Amino acid sequence: MLSILIASLASAAEPFDRLKFHEAPKPLPAGAQTEDWPRFLGAHDNATSTETKLLHTFSKAGLTRVWEVEKGTGFAGPAIVGDHLVLFHRLDGKETVECLHAETGRRFWSFAYDAPYRDRYGSGDGPRSSPVIAGESVYVYGISGHLHCLDLVTGKVRWQHDVKKEFSLSSAFFGCGGTPLVKDGRVIMNIGTDDGTCAVAFAADTGKLLWRAKHAWGASYASPIAATLHGRGCILIFAGGESRPATGGLLCLDAKTGEVLSASPHRAEIAESVNASSPALSGNRVFVTESYGSGGEAIDLLPNFKAKSAWQADNLGVYFMTPIVQDGCLYACAGQQPRLTEFVCTDLATGKEKWRDDLGGKFGRASLLAVDGAFLCLGEFGDLAWLDLTPKGAAVLQQTKLFNAPDTWTLPALSRGLLYVCQNQRGARGDTARLICYDLRGTP
């Protein structure tokens, strides 16, 4: 019956010219636990997944490709709920949202709009912000400040805002980039304006402005995180946009009102720096990090919501990945330059470094995803590995080459045993930028 249902849903989607289907994935193993991947850092906002019974041994031929779709420019990762996968990229000069069937790559609908933008550093004109699926809606925030709410089933616009125009956004190094947080009926965004509005919340169903958070720190490239602290619903924002002198740090906001409960400065001194790694949360302790000089800092949010620095580590600077909290430790890929990165394990309670391993240099500025008792590592040149990271040390368990291309900076998405990887640049063999679906299901 399940195969019939999948076939029925897939038949509602259509093949298109940029899709290449390779072969159907294996059936899910009996008893495998699965979950959706509705937003940038997964269902739990921390780069972890509860999926089980995955494939942990790679053959010499590498991972089996299920399908691939040529994509345009951008660094947005896909969002997946059920059979719907949403891809956000710049294609033929327009920011484009496509809803694909997650298992076949066939397309349900496509929506595109004009969004003029040219990156002054030559690092691409595509979106940095990933789509979010919440309920029956899709939310996308483009590089030039356009926010759209689309119907997940039809792709029709439910509401929209030209955030850059309506709120007079401050200048940004690489355009708008933080992924919105959709939580409890609110779409919460770190925007940064000339009049000192740091964040806003819109009603998820209507787009009505609910609140503004007033603070001088601008919009970073990190994504807001929801937290319940001392029984109060809060939003954690690692802010810090283009400014001279450079300013930014951890903001704790009241989720209902946008009231700024605390502000803890953390930003490199040089102006040409960005905060791009989302906050990592454990209890009432928050870890923030950047790679331009200030490194990492653990901050305690006290019962009165004042922020207190617990410890700092200048050499724990992460370029863009979100560190993972596990076993009472932080696991991160630290370093600004690809060949000088290191995997680091730090005790979250004390700040004591347990180990530092230069095998990170083999993967560059890698992304980590904790799942099924190990860590999936996606290197920035297209290498995929299973890693064993514990408080005692690091080891590579399995490794394969997916492709050979730079700027593989997008955290892979995982849902129902299928791994979705963005190749963001043309590869060494001439292959174009692609979203590739791999079969990561274990033996049925």
Side-chain angles (χ1 to χ4, degrees):
M1 289 296 293
L2 179 59
S3 61
I4 295 175
L5 177 60
I6 291 173
S8 176
L9 286 170
S11 66
E14 299 179 349
F16 59 108
D17 58 353
R18 297 180 358 261
L19 168 66
K20 184 177 182 180
F21 185 81
H22 294 281
E23 61 180 272
K26 299 184 296 293
L28 278 165
Q33 184 171 332
T34 65
E35 66 179 2
D36 294 327
W37 190 275
R39 48 195 179 269
F40 168 52
L41 292 172
H44 312 286
D45 294 317
N46 58 5
T48 70
S49 171
T50 60
E51 298 233 345
T52 60
K53 299 194 175 182
L54 300 175
L55 179 70
H56 284 260
T57 301
F58 300 150
S59 69
K60 291 183 179 180
L63 277 184
T64 298
R65 287 180 290 175
V66 179
W67 55 262
E68 60 186 87
V69 167
E70 292 182 14
K71 77 180 191 75
T73 57
F75 297 94
I80 306 114
V81 169
D83 291 290
H84 291 76
L85 177 150
V86 177
L87 172 65
F88 185 35
H89 54 143
R90 180 181 290 271
L91 188 66
D92 299 327
K94 294 185 176 183
E95 286 193 324
T96 302
V97 189
E98 295 180 293
C99 185
L100 312 179
H101 185 266
E103 194 161 300
T104 67
R106 293 189 172 199
R107 188 166 62 193
F108 291 110
W109 53 261
S110 179
F111 169 76
Y113 60 92
D114 291 322
Y117 175 80
R118 175 165 294 190
D119 187 86
R120 70 179 107 146
Y121 296 95
S123 61
D125 56 3
R128 270 87 168 146
S129 170
S130 296
V132 179
I133 301 175
E136 295 298 318
S137 296
V138 177
Y139 303 86
V140 289
Y141 184 44
I143 197 168
S144 57
H146 294 278
L147 173 66
H148 286 88
C149 172
L150 308 175
D151 185 282
L152 176 62
V153 176
T154 67
K156 292 183 178 179
V157 177
R158 290 185 165 176
W159 55 262
Q160 60 183 301
H161 284 285
D162 185 341
V163 178
K164 183 175 180 62
K165 182 178 179 180
E166 294 173 27
F167 293 88
S168 298
L169 299 189
S170 304
S171 178
F173 287 118
F174 308 106
C176 302
T179 298
L181 169 67
V182 184
K183 181 76 172 178
D184 297 330
R186 304 179 190 91
V187 181
I188 299 165
M189 304 166 60
N190 174 209
I191 62 170
T193 69
D194 293 335
D195 69 356
T197 298
C198 182
V200 294
F202 299 104
D205 55 351
T206 66
K208 178 183 177 182
L209 180 65
L210 298 178
W211 52 251
R212 296 175 183 243
K214 304 292 284 187
H215 198 279
W217 292 344
S220 71
Y221 292 90
S223 300
I225 299 295
T228 300
L229 303 171
H230 308 294
R232 188 172 187 174
C234 298
I235 305 299
L236 302 173
I237 296 177
F238 190 32
E242 183 175 353
S243 61
R244 288 174 173 75
T247 59
L250 178 68
L251 292 174
C252 178
L253 310 181
D254 182 276
K256 292 182 179 180
T257 67
E259 177 189 355
V260 178
L261 303 176
S262 67
S264 183
H266 189 87
R267 182 73 183 274
E269 292 183 359
I270 61 172
E272 288 75 17
S273 65
V274 295
N275 290 343
S277 175
S278 296
L281 175 68
S282 179
N284 298 314
R285 178 162 289 185
V286 187
F287 178 76
V288 293
T289 177
E290 61 80 42
S291 66
Y292 290 85
S294 294
E297 182 177 12
I299 299 166
D300 289 334
L301 294 170
L302 305 178
N304 62 0
F305 289 94
K306 288 186 177 180
K308 179 182 179 183
S309 179
W311 52 265
Q312 298 187 47
D314 294 344
N315 62 347
L316 187 48
V318 175
Y319 196 60
F320 57 79
M321 72 156 286
T322 297
I324 294 177
V325 179
Q326 196 164 281
D327 306 318
C329 294
L330 281 163
Y331 296 92
C333 181
Q336 189 184 111
Q337 300 301 321
R339 300 303 180 188
L340 299 178
T341 55
E342 298 173 307
F343 287 122
V344 183
C345 175
T346 302
D347 187 284
L348 183 58
T350 65
K352 181 180 179 181
E353 188 175 293
K354 289 184 171 290
W355 53 259
R356 179 176 292 260
D357 197 309
D358 64 2
L359 67 83
K362 299 178 182 178
F363 299 101
R365 294 162 294 192
S367 298
L368 293 176
L369 167 59
V371 60
D372 204 18
F375 287 77
L376 272 173
C377 170
L378 178 63
E380 70 171 302
F381 302 105
D383 298 278
L384 183 74
W386 278 109
L387 304 181
D388 181 32
L389 305 181
T390 72
K392 295 182 179 180
V396 178
L397 303 174
Q398 291 283 302
Q399 184 175 348
T400 190
K401 190 75 172 177
L402 301 180
F403 46 80
N404 187 5
D407 298 354
T408 307
W409 296 339
T410 306
L411 179 70
L414 176 68
S415 183
R416 292 192 294 183
L418 301 180
L419 187 71
Y420 302 89
V421 178
C422 288
Q423 178 184 331
N424 295 320
Q425 301 290 349
R426 182 175 292 275
R429 296 182 177 179
D431 43 308
T432 63
R434 302 171 287 170
L435 171 64
I436 310 170
C437 172
Y438 292 97
D439 186 358
L440 200 66
R441 293 173 179 176
T443 304

